[in-house]
Amino acid sequence: MHYYSLSNPNETTNFAQAVVNGIAPDRGLYFPSEIPRLPASFFDKIEEMDVHEMALTAIQAFVGDEIPKEELERIVKTTLDFEFPVVAVEDQIGSLELFHGPTLAFKDVGARFMAQCLGYFNKQNSTQKVTVLVATSGDTGGAVANGFFGVEGIEVVILYPKGKVSKVQEQQLTTLGQNITALEVDGVFDDCQDMVKTAFLDSEITNQRTLTSANSINVARWLPQMLYYFLAYRQLKHKNKPLVVAVPSGNFGNICAGMIAQQMGLPIDHFVAATNVNDAVPAYLESGNYQAVKTTPTISNAMDVGDPSNFVRIQKIYGNDFENLSQHLSGYRFTDEETRTAMQHIHTSSGYVADPHGAVGYLGLKKYLENHPDKYGIFLETAHPVKFLTTVEETLGTKVELPQRIQDLLEKEKQSTPISNYEDLKRFLLA
Ligand SMILES: *Cc1c(COP(=O)(O)O)cnc(C)c1O
């Protein structure tokens, strides 16, 4: 399978190089040269198929023979070793729970898959250790740390802002050890991000270490998210109703992966992009003009993105045709107040506890179903409510029980190295 840069179709490469590079040399996002269609027989029997076999077939279409089948099978099994249940919330509405992975948020699947692919490619043709350098505002760091933990030949260095991440998030970053190092930065997230960017351009460092990033535009983090939609469909096929999927969206990688699944033939009737007040995409769907917005902090903070990177991929999928896109995608924005009201409503009417991100998805779905009562809808529940414990407990006025895994995590010993400026980071990386 070939991948090309969305900034220049002549800039092409293979899957391995797209994974190692992350972004094309001209700064464009990589996109597959074709989206293969799976045969009708695949969908006829999907509910009987073994989960790993189904996932392997879907993902192999984008990896080709660059990873041998047995190895890819091992990667798929390692990536998908937990449940993805659809839980009924209302007659017409289910919650697709994507938070049963090790760090309790949906980013686990992409991070694990990418870590395993990078580990494989590195083993094939490199004697040099690769250093994954990432800045995190909270969720990404935990998923990356966990996904890369123990992967041979790869060292991970995570920068996080001191005192600005939740206790659970900090423990997820700082208690693993081995090939994972956490640098606790005396500053805010943007300082961490700036230092990482500077390091990538610093030849004294790059001459000595192979640096790579693990952010969500990497095809190996983006594409495996398509599997959620296959996993949902096989559970809901028996309903025999057009399936609507509402995705709480920030950088739009998750929903975009769902659209790839649809292009492969997966019967998804319609997508709903649900955002908080950072509403560049819903605004585009209303006006036809795309404009980045200035980021506003909200209670669904993993979606506080003013200029979603993956939107160019979405436009590409629908042939850069506004009418075509509008037929497949609706977009709605919601305020924090509406989100809290929805969390309370879901809880009192069905007993279900949704996190703020899932609640935004629920709101988008409800709005769409108002005018499409014959369809069945799911919203993606992208994080476990304990990841946003304070907001959830405050909003619902109840205590949320901590899963055993989290209680154990909180008891582990924190190990981090404090740094305060770029020179500190450089010294660390050159040591
Ligand atoms: C990252 C994240 C999102 C947004 O996903 P995108 O793929 O960036 O649109 C939504 N919810 C949670 C909990 C997240 O961590």
Side-chain angles (χ1 to χ4, degrees):
M1 171 65 76
H2 276 84
Y3 289 79
Y4 65 93
S5 163
L6 283 178
S7 304
N8 174 8
N10 296 320
E11 179 79 54
T12 63
T13 191
N14 61 7
F15 179 71
Q17 212 51 52
V19 174
V20 174
N21 291 353
I23 191 160
D26 64 1
R27 314 301 295 160
L29 265 59
Y30 284 118
F31 196 82
S33 56
E34 58 166 326
I35 303 175
R37 271 193 93 81
L38 294 167
S41 57
F42 176 88
F43 298 105
D44 287 346
K45 287 188 305 223
I46 193 167
E47 70 276 31
E48 295 160 25
M49 222 186 267
D50 171 70
V51 166
H52 294 134
E53 185 194 334
M54 174 196 80
L56 181 64
T57 307
I59 202 74
Q60 201 177 23
F62 293 92
V63 177
D65 57 10
E66 291 179 56
I67 299 179
K69 193 169 177 193
E70 311 76 70
E71 182 65 17
L72 192 58
E73 193 172 358
R74 188 193 62 74
I75 293 176
V76 165
K77 283 185 177 160
T78 313
T79 303
L80 302 181
D81 74 344
F82 49 90
E83 299 297 308
F84 301 85
V86 176
V87 176
V89 174
E90 290 173 16
D91 277 354
Q92 216 183 335
I93 292 180
S95 163
L96 173 63
E97 296 187 342
L98 302 180
F99 57 69
H100 295 276
T103 72
L104 308 181
F106 83 95
K107 291 184 174 68
D108 280 327
V109 164
R112 280 182 170 200
F113 187 80
M114 179 185 163
Q116 297 289 323
C117 290
L118 202 57
Y120 173 78
F121 293 134
N122 189 48
K123 206 156 54 187
Q124 296 311 298
N125 53 28
S126 172
T127 46
Q128 207 186 10
K129 264 202 171 190
V130 171
T131 304
V132 172
L133 187 63
V134 276
T136 185
S137 57
D139 262 3
T140 298
V144 168
N146 212 286
F148 282 85
F149 180 61
V151 176
E152 234 174 278
I154 302 196
E155 196 179 327
V156 177
V157 178
I158 300 171
L159 282 73
Y160 74 98
K162 179 184 167 130
K164 307 265 185 329
V165 304
S166 78
K167 179 73 184 158
V168 170
Q169 286 171 334
E170 182 171 43
Q171 290 293 100
Q172 285 176 340
L173 298 174
T174 58
T175 59
L176 289 168
Q178 284 192 40
N179 61 331
I180 313 292
T181 305
L183 301 179
E184 188 171 4
V185 177
D186 190 7
V188 295
F189 170 66
D190 288 327
D191 299 322
C192 302
Q193 184 91 316
D194 288 345
M195 285 190 213
V196 166
K197 284 185 185 158
T198 310
F200 275 97
L201 300 172
D202 189 332
S203 56
E204 278 182 73
I205 295 173
T206 54
N207 286 341
Q208 199 177 312
R209 281 183 184 250
T210 307
L211 289 186
T212 188
S213 80
N215 62 28
S216 58
I217 53 172
N218 193 300
V219 293
R221 263 197 68 188
W222 168 51
L223 286 171
Q225 302 177 106
M226 73 167 75
L227 300 173
Y228 304 142
Y229 302 81
F230 287 94
L231 289 158
Y233 176 73
R234 73 199 293 279
Q235 296 177 64
L236 296 168
K237 191 180 165 193
H238 68 273
K239 293 204 181 275
N240 263 320
K241 282 191 174 178
L243 177 61
V244 181
V245 185
V247 187
S249 295
N251 219 7
F252 281 70
N254 192 353
I255 194 168
C256 183
M259 291 165 167
I260 295 277
Q262 185 193 44
Q263 297 294 308
M264 294 175 86
L266 188 73
I268 292 179
D269 180 73
H270 197 75
F271 287 99
V272 177
T275 72
N276 57 34
V277 294
N278 297 287
D279 65 347
V281 173
Y284 168 78
L285 291 167
E286 282 160 20
S287 71
N289 277 326
Y290 180 81
Q291 232 165 1
V293 302
K294 196 175 161 295
T295 310
T296 307
T298 71
I299 56 169
S300 48
N301 58 27
M303 309 198 296
D304 294 350
V305 181
D307 189 8
S309 313
N310 285 293
F311 187 59
V312 287
R313 283 179 169 148
I314 291 179
Q315 286 187 299
K316 181 70 205 175
I317 291 172
Y318 297 108
N320 293 311
D321 175 347
F322 180 77
E323 285 310 315
N324 188 11
L325 175 60
S326 310
Q327 277 170 26
H328 290 93
L329 177 69
S330 302
Y332 309 106
R333 73 178 69 71
F334 301 96
T335 62
D336 280 355
E337 201 184 324
E338 290 169 310
T339 306
R340 287 187 195 271
T341 307
M343 288 163 71
Q344 288 157 355
H345 169 77
I346 298 168
H347 188 234
T348 42
S349 63
S350 69
Y352 192 75
V353 178
D355 97 294
H357 303 79
V360 169
Y362 168 88
L363 281 168
L365 185 57
K366 281 295 257 196
K367 192 134 186 168
Y368 178 80
L369 290 177
E370 270 171 25
N371 297 317
H372 302 88
D374 299 332
K375 300 184 181 181
Y376 184 85
I378 53 172
F379 61 94
L380 306 199
E381 180 44 302
T382 46
H384 192 293
V386 301
K387 281 211 108 166
F388 300 90
L389 193 64
T390 320
T391 304
V392 172
E393 292 192 336
E394 234 173 55
T395 305
L396 302 184
T398 52
K399 283 270 166 217
V400 178
E401 202 184 323
L402 293 184
Q404 187 60 43
R405 232 143 22 117
I406 293 293
Q407 293 181 29
D408 295 345
L409 178 71
L410 292 174
E411 277 159 27
K412 289 198 186 158
E413 191 190 342
K414 166 182 158 182
Q415 291 171 295
S416 68
T417 305
I419 66 168
S420 33
N421 52 40
Y422 180 69
E423 288 311 311
D424 290 347
L425 173 64
K426 187 162 175 171
R427 220 172 297 125
F428 175 86
L429 291 173
L430 292 177

